[in-house]
Amino acid sequence: MQTDYKLISRIMAKKNIGADLEIRGWLRTKRESKGISFLNINDGSSLAGIQVVADSARLENYQSLVPVLTTGCSLRVRGELVKSPAKGQEVELLAAEIEIYGPAPAESYPLQKKRHSFEFLRGIAHLRPRTNTLGAMTRIRSNLARTIHDFFHRHNFYQIHTPIITTSDCEGAGEMFNVTSLDLARLAEQDDQLDFRRDFFGCPASLTVSGQLEAEAYALALGRVYTFGPTFRAENSHTSRHLAEFWMLEPEMAFFDLADDMNLAENLLKFLITEVLEQSREDFNFFSRFVDKSLPARLQAVRENNFVRISYSEAVDLLRKSGRNFQYPVKWGTDLQAEHERFLAEDYCQGPVIVFDYPKAIKPFYMRLNDDGRTVAAMDVLLPGIGEIIGGSQREERFAPLLARMEESQLDIKNYDWYLDLRRYGTVPHAGFGLGFERLVQFVTGLANIRDVIPFPRVPGNAVG
Ligand code: 4AD
Ligand code: MG
């Protein structure tokens, strides 16, 4: 670890006035006037950079430096921290030494001082973390991830690492990416029969869509566990809420029923939002000012109100009586569409809402069948502006009903025999849920497009850079 220089976020305090300090970072802007350059330098440790005053009277190499001091260049500065005589910052660094690490020629460097559109920035995913918005998002994302681990640690959960490569389609939606070591180009050329026995695993394998099934095995041994990692879905969705590769947090709890599951989901969201506002105040204020002015009120609604809980059947009634002209008609037995979810969260509840007891036909095989025989113990948490952020359920812990649902869903039972073992031996009531991490980051930052809350978004038609 380099210890001879200081992070900018750590030194910009009045108590350091008079100190001789060294910083390293990237030049954001330069303003020149009469042999003095005012440089704004940012090292990523906070939203605010530091103002460096480069004075030709103090710097021997000033004349040779000036042409290289362009937006994006990387540099080291040593100097004295002084009280700033100008408005805009309390302190500034009076440069005694400036050394350039790498230039960023203005003719070609894509990130100039002006404001760039999100779309333009997506085209340079490797450079966009140097912007205020992506930098602030990244710090908030990191704090949220750490806070997730804090929450579960406090509640006596163990983190488990579930596999990325799997043979089970947990959600049963058939949206899997295949994993193979076969030479597909050669196979196509030879017009060969696809024989998975010759493939790496000796059978078809895929990237996981969810770590839930494996998490269940560990919950039925360690009680309370969670898995938090990347998941993959080959759904051809071009929306601002879907990615082909996204991160999901999945807690799984033995001896929990659906009500316990909903309580945990509500407590978790409240905790995460409260903590992140504390830890990322400066970045959060940036989003409230420049991205979404209604952000503070929306987050407050989550922290302070009890989440409204309504059954799917009640939700259908509400939607039908709403008098709204929805694009997709509302009918008992069909899935709620984004427009319906948004009506419930934004108009009807004006805050978070949990919908539970969905029709079994629209939900995966592992959800516990209710006594009415036509609904399952499922729950979705819907947030204003986002829609579904969490999907969960009490799991079917009874062997016979589970097997019946699996057969109905036409699963290849031999791939799930291990899962059935969990019901054959020492089964218990248990429940869990999945939280879409990017949707959480969207909710906290107000960023409208999910492609702007993950470093390198993977979407249909793009996996480069
Ligand atoms: O509702 P889902 O599909 O639930 C599951 O996968 C369960 N196995 C979870 C569990 O019970 N352990 O997905 C959970 C959440 C959704 O509510 C949503 O927030 C997010 O994952 N999600 C996506 N986020 C981004 N892009 C996508 N394509 C997503 N699909 C789901
Ligand atoms: Mg869902």
Side-chain angles (χ1 to χ4, degrees):
M1 181 100 71
Q2 287 281 355
T3 50
D4 54 343
Y5 77 98
K6 298 276 190 286
L7 292 178
I8 289 170
S9 59
R10 313 294 299 176
I11 61 165
M12 286 201 297
K14 274 195 195 149
K15 68 173 185 345
N16 290 329
I17 286 176
D20 189 43
L21 295 167
E22 185 180 295
I23 55 142
R24 299 172 187 193
W26 293 266
L27 179 62
R28 284 287 178 84
T29 59
K30 176 178 72 172
R31 191 162 45 82
E32 260 187 289
S33 120
K34 303 183 198 127
I36 300 185
S37 293
F38 299 93
L39 314 173
N40 186 280
I41 312 234
N42 188 293
D43 64 0
S45 63
S46 64
L47 185 71
I50 191 166
Q51 169 151 295
V52 167
V53 182
D55 186 339
S56 55
R58 296 169 141 255
L59 293 165
E60 271 173 31
N61 58 346
Y62 187 82
Q63 291 314 326
S64 60
L65 268 178
V66 169
V68 199
L69 286 173
T70 56
T71 294
C73 77
S74 47
L75 67 179
R76 177 183 71 81
V77 181
R78 195 182 59 72
E80 186 190 348
L81 197 77
V82 297
K83 190 171 178 329
S84 178
K87 272 208 276 199
Q89 64 278 320
E90 277 198 331
V91 293
E92 59 191 25
L93 197 65
L94 217 50
E97 250 178 75
I98 295 185
E99 181 197 346
I100 305 280
Y101 288 113
E107 320 80 80
S108 56
Y109 186 58
L111 283 177
Q112 293 305 323
K113 193 179 162 184
K114 66 178 184 136
R115 246 178 132 154
H116 298 285
S117 73
F118 285 115
E119 197 171 4
F120 170 78
L121 293 174
R122 272 171 231 140
I124 45 167
H126 57 298
L127 294 174
R128 68 178 183 162
R130 300 181 188 188
T131 62
N132 280 340
T133 310
L134 267 287
M137 181 285 291
T138 305
R139 284 184 293 270
I140 286 183
R141 187 178 160 112
S142 172
N143 279 341
L144 277 170
R146 196 192 54 193
T147 308
I148 282 174
H149 293 297
D150 282 350
F151 177 86
F152 287 106
H153 178 69
R154 285 185 195 196
H155 289 85
N156 303 304
F157 281 67
Y158 295 105
Q159 185 190 6
I160 51 165
H161 299 116
T162 48
I164 302 282
I165 299 175
T166 168
T167 56
S168 42
D169 179 1
C170 175
E171 295 308 294
E175 291 161 342
M176 316 275 283
F177 287 102
N178 295 325
V179 175
T180 179
S181 61
L182 294 173
D183 184 341
L184 297 181
R186 233 189 71 205
L187 270 179
E189 244 170 48
Q190 295 176 342
D191 200 17
D192 217 345
Q193 281 290 308
L194 194 57
D195 182 359
F196 284 108
R197 283 170 307 181
R198 288 190 355 235
D199 202 353
F200 191 90
F201 298 106
C203 66
S206 315
L207 295 178
T208 186
V209 297
S210 158
Q212 177 197 321
L213 303 186
E214 293 89 352
E216 282 186 54
Y218 273 71
L220 268 58
L222 288 129
R224 299 178 180 191
V225 299
Y226 69 103
T227 177
F228 180 26
T231 48
F232 307 85
R233 297 195 184 177
E235 55 187 328
N236 197 15
S237 298
H238 297 257
T239 78
S240 56
R241 304 272 177 271
H242 289 89
L243 291 166
E245 176 178 304
F246 63 98
W247 281 62
M248 188 162 31
L249 163 70
E250 297 182 274
E252 190 70 35
M253 295 74 65
F255 313 109
F256 264 48
D257 63 14
L258 189 68
D260 300 325
D261 203 33
M262 293 194 262
N263 292 341
L264 186 79
E266 179 168 345
N267 291 340
L268 170 70
L269 284 173
K270 289 193 153 114
F271 180 82
L272 294 178
I273 285 166
T274 307
E275 285 291 307
V276 84
L277 293 188
E278 284 286 310
Q279 292 168 19
S280 302
R281 192 162 297 281
E282 185 193 27
D283 290 321
F284 176 73
N285 289 343
F286 168 81
F287 286 111
S288 308
R289 263 184 78 192
F290 295 111
V291 173
D292 181 355
K293 295 217 163 36
S294 63
L295 201 54
R298 261 193 296 134
L299 295 200
Q300 199 173 349
V302 175
R303 288 167 67 189
E304 293 177 2
N305 302 331
N306 291 333
F307 292 14
V308 176
R309 299 182 187 191
I310 53 174
S311 71
Y312 166 89
S313 301
E314 287 171 283
V316 167
D317 278 347
L318 285 171
L319 290 161
R320 296 183 75 131
K321 289 184 192 140
S322 69
R324 290 292 172 99
N325 225 337
F326 293 115
Q327 192 190 341
Y328 295 89
V330 183
K331 205 174 112 219
W332 199 98
T334 60
D335 211 354
L336 299 181
Q337 299 294 322
E339 56 175 346
H340 307 138
E341 295 179 340
R342 295 189 67 161
F343 169 81
L344 293 171
E346 284 159 32
D347 300 310
Y348 183 73
C349 300
Q350 293 173 10
V353 50
I354 310 184
V355 181
F356 59 90
D357 287 350
Y358 282 78
K360 82 170 185 183
I362 57 170
K363 289 292 184 186
F365 69 92
Y366 54 73
M367 296 189 176
R368 192 179 199 280
L369 190 64
N370 286 325
D371 292 344
D372 61 14
R374 60 179 202 148
T375 61
V376 287
M379 64 102 177
D380 278 2
V381 181
L382 314 178
L383 292 182
I386 298 287
E388 179 191 338
I389 185 159
I390 286 178
S393 66
Q394 187 173 337
R395 319 306 189 191
E396 183 55 85
E397 85 283 12
R398 300 161 297 184
F399 184 88
L402 179 62
L403 184 62
R405 276 301 301 285
M406 290 169 96
E407 281 166 350
E408 243 172 67
S409 314
Q410 299 180 339
L411 297 185
D412 189 354
I413 305 285
K414 74 172 186 318
N415 282 342
Y416 298 85
D417 201 45
W418 66 271
Y419 186 70
L420 284 165
D421 263 0
L422 304 174
R423 277 70 179 167
R424 285 189 186 103
Y425 310 119
T427 189
V428 299
H430 61 289
F433 60 80
L435 173 144
F437 188 55
E438 283 72 26
R439 292 188 188 177
L440 176 69
V441 182
Q442 280 192 279
F443 187 69
V444 171
T445 58
L447 286 167
N449 195 315
I450 199 164
R451 298 170 194 212
D452 301 325
V453 296
I454 189 164
F456 293 94
R458 297 295 179 245
V459 293
N462 183 40
V464 182

